[in-house]
């Protein structure tokens, strides 16, 4: 279905005329730097070739009619570009609505709409950023159709606003930023405090980056996510009694150790510890990768997972098992969960020759304990969202 011809044919079948424009927006994996992006810390994601395609044609009224090849049962969902509001019945098109609301607010009212057929290759709820992919896709469509020419950075900020204000999930900017600004062959070291970033070559001639999907239905993700963020904010408030900081990303490990006595709640102290240490790990990991020290990079990935398990508590039985099984295999450089947590995907860097036995053994171990097999995907880096 990634096939352009097929998608244009589907557009014609659904809307009864020929589509005009074609776009792609990637998903992402985060290599390291988890739950640091709302703490002013560093993240190190790359965009992947799994993502979301759109076939679009303008229409003359002020409406958007959207059809998803992945959710055929929902049929064509239509909304007006005037007075956009979140509505449960709008289902997945709420991502489009949110983006188009904020883009119009920032630029001008759009007096014409469009028809769009969407097809996504990112499995749902897999922590590979299918929602950011859709948000930035919408931004790129708007840029092209209405000539508003918003930068990748602005689209990322609007995408985050859709999550925070339109959908009430207080996520950071990592997912939208990488999806909008990625470069094929590179991972991005992003400073989420300043939005400065460095593209670091991410080519592994002797290894593969594998994605392992636990297929664990993520539960309570939004409420747990928002709680973690609140706990980090509480930690900052307590630390401010003894040190002048505005976010946890400003502290080194030793500074944190010196000031942590100010955090009176033990659980909050563990959350803060993760955020501080993970940020420092991410900086070291990006340097290690740039210097060709893949082993060091792998060690830091492993430490990241342990910290997400012990201190941040966003791993679950399924993701812990995948990572533990990965660690036991030959030729594994490192493995960790990726994304928000509470299920979803893990990643592993594996020597080329060991990939087949790796998959076989991890699948077997997982199936034996969990009762069903995980899925594996070979991750390839991609460019940010664009017109094709
Ligand atoms: C989700 C959020 C991101 C980030 C990660 C955790 O993917 O959307 O902003 O916080 O979780 O690193």
């Amino acid at each position: 279905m990634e096939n352009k011809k097929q998608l244009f044919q589907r557009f014609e079948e659904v809307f009864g005329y020929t589509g005009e424009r074609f776009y792609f927006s990637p998903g992402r994996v985060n290599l390291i730097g988890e739950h640091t992006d709302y703490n002013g810390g560093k993240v190190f994601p790359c965009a992947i070739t799994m993502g979301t395609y759109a076939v679009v044609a303008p229409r003359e009224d002020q409406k958007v009619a959207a059809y998803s090849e992945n959710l055929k049962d929902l049929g064509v969902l239509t909304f007006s570009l005037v007075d956009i509001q979140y509505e449960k019945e709008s289902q997945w098109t709420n991502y489009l609505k949110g983006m188009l609301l904020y883009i119009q607010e920032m630029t001008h009212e759009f007096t014409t709409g469009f028809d769009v057929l969407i097809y996504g290759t990112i499995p749902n709820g897999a922590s590979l950023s299918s929602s950011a992919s859709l948000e930035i896709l919408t931004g790129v469509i708007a840029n092209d159709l209405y000539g508003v020419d918003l930068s990748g950075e602005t689209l990322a900020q609007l995408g985050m606003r859709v999550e925070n204000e339109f959908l009430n999930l207080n996520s950071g900017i990592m997912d939208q930023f990488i999806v909008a600004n990625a470069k094929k062959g590179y991972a991005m070291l992003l400073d989420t405090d300043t939005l400065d970033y460095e593209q670091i070559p991410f080519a592994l001639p002797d290894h593969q980056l594998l994605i392992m999907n636990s297929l664990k239905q993520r539960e309570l993700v939004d409420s747990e996510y928002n709680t973690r963020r609140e706990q980090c904010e509480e930690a900052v408030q307590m630390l401010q009694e003894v040190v002048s900081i505005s976010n946890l990303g400003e502290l080194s490990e030793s500074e944190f150790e010196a000031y942590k006595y100010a955090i009176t709640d033990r659980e909050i102290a563990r959350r803060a510890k993760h955020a501080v240490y993970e940020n420092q790990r991410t900086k070291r990991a990006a340097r290690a990768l740039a210097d060709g020290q893949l082993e060091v990079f792998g060690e830091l990935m492993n430490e990241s997972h342990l910290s997400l398990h012990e201190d941040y508590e966003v791993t679950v039985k399924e993701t812990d098992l995948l990572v533990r099984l990965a660690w036991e295999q030959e030729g594994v450089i490192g493995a960790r969960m990726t994304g928000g947590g509470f299920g979803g995907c893990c990643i592993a860097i594996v020597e080329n020759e060991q990939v087949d036995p790796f998959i076989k053994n991890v699948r077997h171990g997982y199936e034996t304990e969990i009762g069903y097999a995980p899925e594996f995907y070979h991750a390839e880096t991609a460019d940010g969202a664009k017109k094709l």
Side-chain angles (χ1 to χ4, degrees):
M1 217 7 132
E2 278 105 314
N3 189 310
K4 181 176 176 183
K5 215 170 131 199
Q6 268 175 301
L7 290 175
F8 273 79
Q9 194 182 327
R10 287 294 297 136
F11 183 98
E12 187 143 4
E13 281 160 20
V14 172
F15 294 104
Y17 67 102
T18 313
E20 275 182 19
R21 306 170 191 223
F22 194 41
Y23 308 84
F24 176 71
S25 179
R28 66 100 187 87
V29 292
N30 188 20
L31 298 172
I32 191 165
E34 220 66 85
H35 290 277
T36 49
D37 69 340
Y38 47 86
N39 285 307
K42 298 274 204 286
V43 292
F44 195 41
C46 61
I48 55 174
T49 51
M50 296 166 107
T52 321
Y53 294 84
V55 180
V56 171
R59 39 190 284 165
E60 283 178 1
D61 59 10
Q62 247 174 323
K63 289 193 172 126
V64 173
Y67 178 87
S68 166
E69 227 9 59
N70 303 87
L71 296 161
K72 292 184 178 150
D73 292 353
L74 296 176
V76 176
L77 298 168
T78 304
F79 62 89
S80 164
L81 284 167
V82 188
D83 290 332
I84 291 180
Q85 273 167 27
Y86 174 88
E87 276 160 323
K88 202 161 176 270
E89 313 79 81
S90 295
Q91 305 269 1
W92 63 276
T93 64
N94 276 309
Y95 293 106
L96 280 66
K97 288 175 104 177
M99 281 303 280
L100 292 165
L101 171 65
Y102 298 146
I103 293 175
Q104 289 185 89
E105 272 180 19
M106 181 168 249
T107 59
H108 58 87
E109 191 185 87
F110 299 156
T111 52
T112 55
F114 57 92
D115 291 330
V116 56
L117 176 125
I118 298 279
Y119 174 63
T121 58
I122 310 173
N124 268 343
S127 64
L128 300 176
S129 286
S130 55
S131 37
S133 179
L134 191 52
E135 286 154 8
I136 301 304
L137 180 69
T138 308
V140 169
I141 293 171
N143 263 349
D144 182 46
L145 278 186
Y146 305 111
V148 287
D149 209 19
L150 299 173
S151 69
E153 182 176 324
T154 302
L155 292 183
Q157 272 159 339
L158 296 180
M160 181 176 74
R161 203 173 146 207
V162 170
E163 298 286 342
N164 298 171
E165 293 173 30
F166 207 70
L167 305 166
N168 285 324
L169 175 66
N170 292 324
S171 55
I173 201 164
M174 166 171 70
D175 304 343
Q176 291 78 10
F177 202 93
I178 185 67
V179 167
N181 300 298
K183 201 167 146 188
K184 187 179 166 64
Y186 292 80
M188 176 190 283
L189 180 65
L190 170 67
D191 182 327
T192 60
D193 195 27
T194 59
L195 297 186
D196 290 336
Y197 64 88
E198 192 184 335
Q199 304 272 20
I200 297 181
F202 183 61
L204 305 172
D206 304 325
H207 298 83
Q208 278 193 27
L209 177 63
L210 286 181
I211 300 173
M212 310 180 278
N213 189 351
S214 71
L215 298 176
K216 154 82 179 157
Q217 208 51 49
R218 295 193 302 158
E219 283 153 14
L220 295 173
V221 189
D222 294 11
S223 64
E224 288 289 338
Y225 186 98
N226 288 348
T227 307
R228 294 298 181 286
R229 183 166 185 162
E230 280 158 25
Q231 289 177 316
C232 289
E233 279 156 13
E234 282 177 61
V236 171
Q237 276 168 21
M238 291 191 234
L239 286 164
Q240 281 168 341
E241 299 285 324
V242 295
V243 57
S244 163
I245 53 162
S246 49
N247 62 53
L248 293 171
E250 290 169 31
L251 293 177
S252 67
E253 290 110 325
S254 56
E255 284 165 339
F256 176 75
E257 293 303 329
Y259 297 123
K260 70 177 182 193
Y261 68 90
I263 308 176
T264 50
D265 180 286
R266 283 168 73 179
E267 186 172 291
I268 293 182
R270 285 192 289 117
R271 305 292 190 248
K273 180 182 174 202
H274 167 79
V276 170
Y277 278 65
E278 180 77 355
N279 179 40
Q280 299 302 333
R281 264 194 292 275
T282 305
K283 291 192 225 173
R284 284 205 295 277
R287 290 277 69 85
L289 189 77
D291 296 343
Q293 296 174 316
L294 200 55
E295 303 283 335
V296 176
F297 188 79
E299 275 303 314
L300 292 163
M301 286 175 77
N302 300 347
E303 281 176 27
S304 166
H305 185 84
L306 285 175
S307 174
L308 289 159
H309 168 76
E310 280 162 24
D311 289 330
Y312 220 64
E313 293 181 286
V314 294
T315 67
V316 289
K317 182 178 73 186
E318 288 81 356
T319 47
D320 282 329
L321 177 63
L322 278 176
V323 168
R324 183 166 58 73
L325 289 166
W327 286 342
E328 287 167 6
Q329 306 309 312
E330 291 280 317
V332 172
I333 297 292
R336 58 183 293 277
M337 57 154 269
T338 190
F342 306 102
C345 288
C346 301
I347 51 171
I349 298 179
V350 185
E351 272 173 27
N352 287 338
E353 305 83 70
Q354 298 297 337
V355 167
D356 290 344
F358 175 94
I359 291 179
K360 186 169 157 266
N361 296 341
V362 174
R363 175 181 286 132
H364 177 75
Y366 189 83
E367 204 169 357
T368 309
E369 240 174 89
I370 304 295
Y372 59 82
E375 284 179 0
F376 297 86
Y377 325 110
H378 167 60
E380 278 175 62
T381 60
D383 282 328
K386 59 182 177 187
K387 190 176 186 182
L388 297 177

